[in-house]
Amino acid sequence: MGNSKLKIFIPHFYLVWSDDLLTQKEFLTLQKFILSQAWLSVEEQKELISKLDTKSPPSRAQLNDWKSQIETVLKENNSIKSIFEMSLVLSGSDSLMKDLRTDFIKLENDLGISGVEIIGDLKIAENTLTSSYKGVTTFEIEKLTKILDGEQALIINKVKSIISRPEFAYETSTDINIYRNKVYKWCKILAKENLGNMAYPKEYGGGDNIAAYFAIMETLSYHDLSLVIKFGVQFGLWGMSVHSLGTEKHYAKYLKDIGSLKLPGCFAMTETNHGSNVKGLETTATYNHEEQTFTIHTPHQKAQKEYIGNAAVHGQMATVFAKLIIGGIDYGVNAFIVPIRDKNSHILKGITINDCGRKMGLNGVDNGTINFDQVVIPKENMLDRFASVNEKGEFESPIPSDNRRFFTMLGTLVGGRIGIPRSALAAAKSGLTIAIKYSDKRRQFGPEGGSEVPILNYRIHQRRLLPKLAKTYAIHFALQYVTSRFMARSESEMPEIEALAAGMKAYSTWNTTAVLQECREACGGKAYLWENRIDALKNDTEVYTTFEGDNTVLMQLVAKNRLSEFRKAFGQMDAKGMIQYVYENAKTVISEKNPIATRNTDEAHLQDDKFHLSAFQYREKTTLASAAKRLKKLIDSGLAPYDAFNVVQHQMIDVTQAYLERIVLEQFQIAIASIKDPNSKTVMVKLCQLYALSQIEINKGWYLEDGYMEAVKTKAIRKMVNQLCWNLRPEAVSLVEAFNIPDSCLSAPIAF
């Protein structure tokens, strides 16, 4: 607008065009107003109306010029309170223009413009709390990394160094054969570095360090997850089944070759018709006393071994789980070493192997099906630590009870239920690192007239990611606890440890599934691109909720374990005894469950770790007692125990969930108590508070129903979760950097 007096319209034109849409109403209002102003010449009216042509809207440069002129006026004239005052300054404050105040104020009203509000927005655009919020580091990242790595820091750093080498660059080919061979080569490199045999006894070439083996599995999971599973099948399932179920003769014959990957093998338990139900397996191992052999046989197609890792291409032997048949009598499921290929990779006689083909994820692992047609193996191939056939051809075992023997055998393989949740944890850490680092840099939207804002500054985005970061940190310390319990296990503790490992496998893998879905959405279309790795993490971990036991089935098993400690006393309990049981390990609840406590919204109380743990303990005890009470009532009414358990299955999930959440919170708090660095401790306390309160918020319906809290308190907790997310936002990037994931493994361009 060359004519200075026409600049009086700049604010109006900018406001109607700034949203890229001039409505019909806005056009007609402005056109009518311009044509009604006698102080404008015909030419000036035409020039102004030309600025309202929807077929030829103002360019971005024109809009920026108008915006710049407006901002200059506002900066130089702090006293401006209305659009008209701003217009006067832009037009040169001609005396004629001052008489137009009434007309222009009416124009603003007709356009639906609130002058005071818009002036305020334009003035503070660059100085909003949201737009100016930035990341800071209040602790030393290296110190927190050391706390996370703990005693295994040395082996963790060694593995990170290895997987950062050029030969571990990700495979980009979509040909699964090329991919599988690359993964196999990676496994060979790891075997040469003595990582595969880490858990085996030293006399057989191993490191005799199961804790280090779990740390290796978790650290490898920052890289390709097909590699992790291939590594776990070879050195964990195959190798550890020989070590855990076999005896000295098996160790001497196989372990060195398994640990060096000279002897690739499989773990053949799952059948088409029987997944989690190992007792129901139908493959048979029939003993022939005269020949001193076993005959392994698949009785029908649905009894074939299925989803067996290493079977389709590389495996030469397999630990096969089959029913032992002696003289026509079934002695239950036992384990046998069965050759399936020769050293030249030719499939042996009587063995039929089919490739499972392309899967949803983990396509670097060669899963296959195996059928056995009267395959004969020598007697010595029975893994006979817990059961054997003596010189007379009779079954014998140091464990007389069939049930106890079966569960003892499976209990030795509980390590898999520690390795998988730790692998899932690493995948969750990778996803969160990518999403949070991207969210810190990715700018979107912003205050009117201001620059775009990092999306991590938006509270809803913090809500999406930061409670999941807190939960992932909490699970880290809980899995450290499970590992240490497993390492120091005694025979009497094994049922509890097995249940804990099974539950944490479900809890961790479900968390990873939820985390990666949220990370995918939080990164928008960028996370849909292969190069940013979220797709691989999502697809590869999807099956984690299924293998090593279906999560829902595992949760039922954990609940049954929790009920077993309750069952003996439960039979004699009356209502009074039930209440006493609920309060036994949560005595503070008695004082808390009163009107003052249920309504307490004091900030110090809501952030108190004792309140958090007490609330979790109370829920755990109450859900367990409720389930037990209902179960007893159903059985007393004449329902068969099997049917009664079926009726209360949904409650079993609640029992386990409450138990696991209490364990996770408790171990997080214990871990924090041992941290010596004050700055690391401070940020961990905030994370722990966020984990505890966000879980209470998720379960607020239960707490409200039970009367443990009232609405005013759950609302206050919701506000506190919001505030904790806001308080943690500046440290979010530093918290994911503390995971210390190698850049080459993280790989995603959006994370850098």
Side-chain angles (χ1 to χ4, degrees), residues 128-166:
T128 64
L129 181 63
T130 299
S131 61
S132 61
Y133 210 40
K134 295 179 181 178
V136 295
T137 303
T138 61
F139 59 91
E140 292 181 52
I141 294 172
E142 295 79 8
K143 285 185 178 179
L144 185 52
T145 300
K146 286 181 180 178
I147 291 167
L148 293 172
D149 291 349
E151 295 177 357
Q152 301 304 323
L154 216 62
I155 191 68
I156 288 170
N157 289 330
K158 178 181 177 179
V159 175
K160 286 178 180 176
S161 173
I162 292 169
I163 58 180
S164 297
R165 294 176 188 170

Side-chain angles (χ1 to χ4, degrees), residues 552-566:
T552 301
V553 174
L554 293 181
M555 295 287 275
Q556 300 286 338
L557 292 175
V558 178
K560 287 183 179 180
N561 174 269
R562 303 312 298 155
L563 283 168
S564 68
E565 73 164 44
F566 186 87

Side-chain angles (χ1 to χ4, degrees), residues 41 48 120 232 240 298 398 438 449 468 488 493 612 641:
S41 69
L48 288 170
M240 290 305 293
T298 303
Y438 177 62
K468 287 181 166 52
E493 291 179 310
H612 300 156

Side-chain angles (χ1 to χ4, degrees), residues 84 107 123 195 205 226 279 300 325 387 459 486 500-501 558 634 638 670 711:
F84 183 70
L107 173 63
K123 278 186 175 180
L195 297 180
S226 284
K279 266 193 172 182
H300 57 84
I325 309 295
R459 295 206 180 218
F486 179 70
L500 180 59
V558 178
L634 289 168
I670 290 171

Side-chain angles (χ1 to χ4, degrees), residues 46-62:
K46 285 182 179 179
E47 181 181 348
L48 288 170
I49 292 173
S50 72
K51 303 294 184 185
L52 303 175
D53 186 358
T54 54
K55 294 180 181 178
S56 180
S59 65
R60 179 55 55 185
Q62 176 69 84

Side-chain angles (χ1 to χ4, degrees), residues 29 39 48 88 101 209 245 409 446 451 573 663 670 703 721:
T29 300
W39 57 275
L48 288 170
L88 286 179
R101 177 184 294 274
N209 192 337
L245 302 177
M409 177 183 74
S451 60
M573 276 190 183
I663 290 284
I670 290 171
Y703 285 109
V721 169

Side-chain angles (χ1 to χ4, degrees), residues 344-369:
N344 296 317
S345 296
H346 297 130
I347 297 173
L348 298 175
K349 183 181 178 182
I351 306 286
T352 301
I353 297 175
N354 289 305
D355 196 326
C356 288
R358 186 173 289 279
K359 308 178 294 289
M360 184 175 178
L362 299 176
N363 283 304
V365 182
D366 51 320
N367 295 89
T369 62

